[in-house]
Amino acid sequence: MGEMTCIEDLRRLARKRVPRMFYDYVDGGSWTEYTYRANEADFQRIEFRQRVAVDITERSTASTMVGQPVSMPVAIAPTGLAGMQHADGEILAARAAKQHGVPFTLSTMSICSLEAVAEATGRHPFWFQLYVLRDREFVENLIDRAKNANCSALVVTMDLQVFGQRHKDKKNGLSTPPKPTLRNLLNMASKPRWCIGMLATKHRQFGNILGHAKGVDNIDSLVEWTQEQFDPRLSWQDVEWIKKKWGGKLIVKGIQDPEDARLAVASGADAIIVSNHGGRQLDGAASSISTLPRIVDALGQRVEVHMDGGIRSGQDVLKAIALGARGTYIGRAMMYGLGALGEQGVATVLSIIHKELDLSMAFCGKTDIQVVDRSILLTK
């Protein structure tokens, strides 16, 4: 297997170890995947100003995100179906995040439930990502459960009122658990490590929903309920209602436009995440890193601006911070680590990103991530 020195090493191993439908769920975008590719490619166009003969002995990547101390300005993004990349995926990722001193965000569409993650991590605070579903009673219940699970921030995703079409998921017949077609069975049979793990766990369905939503007590009713629940009427009034109900730190995710950024702040957001859902919703939208400076400029210092989309290294994190982000999120990179090596894989991803961030910052002549700004980048 050899030493894992970059995120790409973990992606390759995950591809070998995870059944095709779940690997493709992570490693894909909507329609032509233009935006998915642009998220990564646009980082590569940004260049650093290397500086020398600066004392870089004492260095710190420590910062805060929504007032919470973090070892580096990186959080684990909410990712659906993490527990299908590897058995107990969300629990393992939360443990690795706790170990590394970075926030873990649990998705509404996780396999392991809020309660299971809280119990497995000794009730260590984590963040919860909320989808605003049609069943508002269920949403209220989810918010209460997040409070009871000791969640310290709520992340509301705004860009999934309808589903973008992801061709790979359609072709693979993506479902949880997988449909026992011949193609799926043959593919899973070639991933014995994954199968053994999944057989050993009780977490195999959407843990936050099954048994909690009205009339959802088996996999068929779960699929039907989920497809009907995403709400095309989602509005800023809903965000105000959630803020009031939640009462704690609120992060609004899925912002691509300065006007929406201002509306999010007016609705009570403590931070916003510049995000195009990893290129999984509106294909043809601008990359997150190219959108970030416009939104930072529009908001000034009023709230923290975070970003996700395309981060595959500590250098990407440093570029985002230089352009004004106060925090970044890793989704796919974490999922590659999880699919490749479970908890150890996620820990490896975080170590790789931290080391690259620290060294790249030093090469730019900076010793504290909190003073990094656009001056470390070449302007063209």
Side-chain angles (χ1 to χ4, degrees):
M1 188 172 70
E3 192 183 348
M4 301 280 136
T5 59
C6 60
I7 306 301
E8 178 61 12
D9 290 343
L10 290 144
R11 185 193 69 78
R12 286 193 193 120
L13 187 56
R15 191 175 188 177
K16 286 180 187 161
R17 291 187 167 176
V18 177
R20 184 191 291 118
M21 74 162 62
F22 298 122
Y23 174 80
D24 281 353
Y25 169 75
V26 172
D27 198 31
S30 63
W31 289 303
T32 68
E33 300 189 341
Y34 163 84
T35 300
Y36 167 38
R37 291 191 304 274
N39 274 349
E40 270 186 84
D42 287 355
F43 269 109
Q44 290 161 19
R45 299 196 179 101
I46 301 164
E47 294 174 343
F48 293 118
R49 284 177 70 205
Q50 182 175 336
R51 303 301 303 276
V52 296
V54 176
D55 183 352
I56 51 172
T57 317
E58 300 290 325
R59 301 190 298 276
S60 170
T61 59
S63 185
T64 60
M65 289 173 72
V66 291
Q68 299 177 27
V70 291
S71 64
M72 58 179 170
V74 173
I76 288 183
T79 50
L81 275 65
M84 285 289 149
Q85 297 301 307
H86 190 288
D88 301 333
E90 292 88 2
I91 287 170
L92 303 183
R95 280 188 187 147
K98 178 184 175 183
Q99 197 67 35
H100 278 261
V102 299
F104 169 77
T105 317
L106 184 73
S107 169
T108 291
M109 306 309 288
S110 60
I111 302 300
C112 302
S113 67
L114 276 154
E115 294 78 10
V117 172
E119 189 186 338
T121 53
R123 294 186 58 75
H124 180 75
F126 61 97
W127 297 355
F128 182 64
Q129 174 271 330
L130 180 74
Y131 280 124
V132 186
L133 305 170
R134 288 175 192 255
D135 184 341
R136 293 298 199 263
E137 196 182 321
F138 175 72
V139 171
E140 283 198 60
N141 182 33
L142 264 182
I143 294 170
D144 288 339
R145 287 168 61 199
K147 285 182 191 173
N148 293 335
N150 204 25
C151 291
S152 56
L154 194 67
V155 178
V156 178
T157 297
M158 300 296 288
D159 60 356
L160 206 113
Q161 290 165 277
V162 291
F163 278 95
Q165 182 170 310
R166 303 159 198 170
H167 295 330
K168 287 174 184 167
D169 293 352
K170 285 259 184 200
K171 288 183 168 115
N172 290 332
L174 178 74
S175 66
T176 302
K179 293 187 180 78
T181 63
L182 181 61
R183 184 183 176 208
N184 288 343
L185 290 170
L186 289 171
N187 186 243
M188 284 189 292
S190 69
K191 319 286 178 188
R193 186 186 295 255
W194 182 89
C195 291
I196 290 163
M198 292 309 293
L199 287 169
T201 182
K202 60 181 187 290
H203 304 298
R204 293 193 208 111
Q205 291 164 356
F206 293 113
N208 289 325
I209 299 169
L210 203 67
H212 292 278
K214 262 196 214 115
V216 180
D217 46 19
N218 62 48
I219 190 64
D220 293 333
S221 57
L222 174 65
V223 171
E224 201 176 309
W225 184 87
T226 308
Q227 285 170 348
E228 290 169 359
Q229 276 301 314
F230 288 92
D231 194 348
R233 297 163 305 182
L234 174 65
S235 72
W236 294 113
Q237 284 72 40
D238 292 316
V239 177
E240 288 170 24
W241 170 73
I242 290 163
K243 172 78 176 177
K244 203 169 166 186
K245 172 84 182 147
W246 168 245
K249 294 289 185 187
L250 185 73
I251 303 170
V252 172
K253 178 177 183 287
I255 302 297
Q256 276 266 288
D257 187 90
E259 187 52 36
D260 284 339
R262 284 188 278 264
L263 290 165
V265 176
S267 305
D270 296 288
I272 63 154
I273 308 177
V274 175
S275 172
N276 52 39
H277 217 99
R280 299 161 72 75
Q281 286 293 89
L282 175 62
D283 191 37
S287 68
S288 294
I289 195 64
S290 66
T291 307
L292 174 67
R294 284 200 296 277
I295 292 179
V296 168
D297 291 345
L299 291 188
Q301 298 301 310
R302 279 188 291 165
V303 297
E304 289 183 22
V305 178
H306 301 169
M307 69 79 64
D308 71 23
I311 291 180
R312 303 289 184 273
S313 69
Q315 291 208 329
D316 295 340
V317 172
L318 187 60
K319 289 170 183 178
I321 300 302
L323 289 171
R326 283 286 304 278
T328 62
Y329 295 73
I330 53 166
R332 285 188 177 92
M334 181 280 288
M335 294 281 258
Y336 296 147
L338 190 59
L341 294 166
E343 185 175 344
Q344 181 53 49
V346 180
T348 302
V349 164
L350 291 169
S351 296
I352 287 169
I353 286 176
H354 183 261
K355 187 171 186 181
E356 288 182 352
L357 173 62
D358 173 57
L359 291 177
S360 301
M361 179 176 74
F363 284 129
C364 293
K366 298 289 183 189
T367 56
D368 182 354
I369 195 71
Q370 298 194 71
V371 302
V372 164
D373 58 19
R374 293 184 197 192
S375 68
I376 72 161
L377 304 177
L378 283 174
T379 50
K380 292 176 182 172

